[in-house]
Amino acid sequence: MSIHRLFSALSAVTLICLFALSSAAQGTTSRITGTVTDNNGAAVPGALVTLTNPATNQSLTANTSDNGVYLFDLIAPGTYTVTIEKDG
């Protein structure tokens, strides 16, 4: 086998592997983000945000940032409820 054919074959295999890896990396997850504010529209830092999937009864929690922002990443498709708790 000539070096040119070997290089062509290796290039083709490499491209196929890269395509397969990129296809597998495209999952079916999403991101949920929001901002918690009070009745006056001011950000609420340090609030506990709970994301629950009633179908699986699984919950995730996050705390809001100084700007009242929360983020849940890599969330599976489904219907969720969000509850927010903050003392005071």
Side-chain angles (χ1 to χ4, degrees), residues 26-31 73-77:
Q26 295 178 9
T28 56
T29 60
S30 190
R31 171 182 291 177
D73 212 358
L74 301 174
I75 303 301

Side-chain angles (χ1 to χ4, degrees), residues 11-78:
S11 296
V13 170
T14 301
L15 287 174
I16 290 169
C17 289
L18 287 174
F19 178 73
L21 287 174
S22 67
S23 295
Q26 295 178 9
T28 56
T29 60
S30 190
R31 171 182 291 177
I32 298 173
T33 186
T35 304
V36 178
T37 58
D38 64 14
N39 291 336
N40 296 321
V44 179
L48 178 65
V49 182
T50 304
L51 180 71
T52 304
N53 182 333
T56 63
N57 206 28
Q58 292 183 329
S59 295
L60 299 169
T61 59
N63 289 307
T64 57
S65 67
D66 291 340
N67 298 328
V69 176
Y70 63 89
L71 170 69
F72 295 98
D73 212 358
L74 301 174
I75 303 301

